[in-house]
Amino acid sequence: MTTTARRLLSQMALEVQVPLRVANPSGLVRSPAFSVDGGPFAPLRQTRYIRGEPVETVLLDSVESQANRQEALLYRHLPLPDVQVELFDGRRVSQYEAPGRILDAIFREATLGGVPFHQTPLFQAIARGGEEAEGALFRHSPLTLVYGGWLSYGDIPPEVAPKWPRLVALEILGLEPREAHRTSSRLDPLGVPGELPLPEAMSQALKEQGKKGRLSEAGLGRIPPTASPMDVAVRGAVLVGAVSLVGLRNLRLPQEAQEALLALALLGLALQHKEGYRLRSGADLVPEEGGCLRVRALPSGEEVCLEVEPLREELDRLLGELPEELRWPGEPVVLQANETLNQLYRNALLGKAERAKAKREKEG
């Protein structure tokens, strides 16, 4: 049976260009702020080519952020194979919640059956790179192959450390941005002016928390209205980028595994399109056209309609056709955090007052 993934695998790439509009009819949208070369944080403006024409843009969602959003949706909706770290209080962190996925340093600081994770057969197979590593990642961390990964720690020199470039590289751009101001203010129902000195006991309590003892730090007092040029107004937006099918075929996996990875990547795109583009507070985007997510295969130019349910059924069918040695395990691999990681976690759970107290005791 010919599937969407099987039909597309012989192409070079999938072009993604989805027109979006800002839910706020004035075009006002809250963009992330970036520091360029150590400068002040501000919206990131760039000139890009959209449909062959140079257009002034502002970055609304980066490639890395898009990968994280699609990964989170796949983790929520599918029984993905997982590797997790269990902390001292029973909390578990999934590889799909860690920035580096299975290659994140969190997993370096964990053990499996008393053996440090980086000494286990699973990790050693990944560290060796090549066909063995890609088979291990497909079975235990398929999204590392889809969204990229780099073994950036350990005793392997960076220039030879295994790397898997991302296959899906998408971002959301705002079009023709204009400067807009972000406002902030606070009214105090008690009529307390913001510059009023704090009572001594309250001031001392704040200083013990590592603060400066100001009224605003206690959540009290009036804050005069202020504005800063941290928002933008845009004519529209676009989800734009590509899925590399050449990169997918370069993976040393049998064709049925490559097809399953492609179905997984397409399902991530379709899930985001169905669930909606809520980037953050004040940044809701809506597709200009209803229905499925349309992508274009290159070089053929074939337009493909991506919908969640057909892709989910296709992925299930492809996974069922895999040879036994590539089947996904049914249960997660659960690692135990070592004492170093548990101590860092304990410190993070401490309130600011406890951390400030511990610091004073250490210094004096």
Side-chain angles (χ1 to χ4, degrees), residues 8-15 245-246 249 296-303:
L8 294 174
L9 195 59
S10 62
Q11 298 289 316
M12 297 295 183
L14 297 177
E15 178 189 86
L245 302 178
V246 174
R249 290 198 302 273
R296 190 158 68 102
L298 300 175
S300 72
E302 176 190 357
E303 191 174 83

Side-chain angles (χ1 to χ4, degrees), residues 103-118:
L103 303 177
D104 197 87
I106 287 176
F107 297 91
R108 179 192 63 202
E109 303 296 333
T111 63
L112 180 62
V115 178
F117 182 54
H118 64 271

Side-chain angles (χ1 to χ4, degrees), residues 12-183:
M12 297 295 183
L14 297 177
E15 178 189 86
V16 181
Q17 192 162 238
V18 181
L20 305 168
R21 62 184 176 89
V22 180
N24 185 329
S26 74
L28 182 67
V29 63
R30 179 157 295 186
S31 66
F34 297 85
S35 173
V36 178
D37 296 329
F41 284 87
L44 183 59
R45 299 166 181 262
Q46 305 169 84
T47 301
R48 296 292 190 89
Y49 285 92
I50 306 295
R51 302 192 185 280
E53 297 295 327
V55 178
E56 291 302 310
T57 72
V58 62
L59 185 59
L60 298 181
D61 211 38
S62 68
V63 170
E64 298 82 6
S65 177
Q66 269 294 293
N68 290 340
R69 293 182 195 281
Q70 293 167 45
E71 182 177 44
L73 285 168
L74 290 168
Y75 180 47
R76 187 189 314 158
H77 289 276
L78 296 179
L80 294 171
D82 203 1
V83 178
Q84 303 172 352
V85 173
E86 187 172 71
L87 297 149
F88 74 90
D89 59 358
R91 177 188 173 189
R92 290 186 182 182
V93 178
S94 163
Q95 62 170 319
Y96 303 118
E97 298 170 309
R101 303 179 183 90
I102 197 173
L103 303 177
D104 197 87
I106 287 176
F107 297 91
R108 179 192 63 202
E109 303 296 333
T111 63
L112 180 62
V115 178
F117 182 54
H118 64 271
Q119 295 178 10
T120 61
L122 170 57
F123 186 89
Q124 289 296 308
I126 296 170
R128 283 190 287 271
E131 183 177 350
E132 183 183 12
E134 289 167 6
L137 286 172
F138 180 83
R139 287 199 72 231
H140 295 281
S141 186
L143 296 189
T144 297
L145 297 173
V146 174
Y147 299 114
W150 175 33
L151 183 54
S152 58
Y153 62 82
D155 55 3
I156 306 174
E159 59 272 14
V160 297
K163 300 179 181 69
W164 289 274
R166 59 173 55 92
L167 302 176
V168 178
L170 302 178
E171 56 191 346
I172 297 180
L173 303 174
L175 307 177
E176 299 179 17
R178 299 291 184 267
E179 184 179 279
H181 284 73
R182 186 177 302 177
T183 59

Side-chain angles (χ1 to χ4, degrees), residues 158-359:
E159 59 272 14
V160 297
K163 300 179 181 69
W164 289 274
R166 59 173 55 92
L167 302 176
V168 178
L170 302 178
E171 56 191 346
I172 297 180
L173 303 174
L175 307 177
E176 299 179 17
R178 299 291 184 267
E179 184 179 279
H181 284 73
R182 186 177 302 177
T183 59
S184 63
S185 63
R186 183 182 189 277
L187 292 175
D188 190 293
L190 303 180
V192 178
E195 67 278 5
L196 191 71
L198 275 175
E200 182 59 32
M202 186 178 290
S203 177
Q204 185 60 35
L206 288 171
K207 290 177 180 178
E208 288 176 358
Q209 296 174 28
K211 298 179 180 179
K212 296 181 179 180
R214 295 172 178 166
L215 191 63
S216 59
E217 294 171 329
L220 298 171
R222 176 179 176 272
I223 299 176
T226 60
S228 57
M230 296 297 289
D231 286 346
V232 291
V234 297
R235 177 177 56 81
V238 61
L239 171 70
V240 64
V243 179
S244 175
L245 302 178
V246 174
L248 176 58
R249 290 198 302 273
N250 285 342
L251 293 174
R252 284 149 290 196
L253 292 169
Q255 181 176 328
E256 54 264 45
Q258 293 179 1
E259 291 173 2
L261 283 179
L262 180 53
L264 195 59
L266 298 179
L267 184 54
L269 293 172
L271 279 168
Q272 176 177 237
H273 197 70
K274 179 180 179 181
E275 297 274 326
Y277 299 88
R278 177 170 173 78
L279 307 182
R280 62 194 64 86
S281 173
D284 285 273
L285 306 177
V286 180
E288 288 279 9
E289 300 176 0
C292 66
L293 172 66
R294 297 187 180 277
V295 301
R296 190 158 68 102
L298 300 175
S300 72
E302 176 190 357
E303 191 174 83
V304 182
C305 177
L306 303 181
E307 294 182 287
V308 170
E309 290 310 318
L311 283 169
R312 194 196 304 267
E313 292 172 6
E314 178 174 324
L315 178 61
D316 288 342
R317 188 163 56 251
L318 289 167
L319 292 174
E321 295 172 357
L322 290 172
E324 189 63 36
E325 64 272 16
L326 287 174
R327 296 281 177 97
W328 289 353
E331 297 296 328
V333 176
V334 181
L335 313 179
Q336 298 299 317
N338 65 19
E339 186 49 42
T340 300
L341 186 59
N342 273 324
Q343 188 57 55
L344 284 170
Y345 179 51
R346 284 190 188 94
N347 292 345
L349 292 177
L350 291 174
K352 289 185 178 180
E354 289 87 348
R355 288 201 293 273
K357 181 180 179 181
K359 182 179 179 181

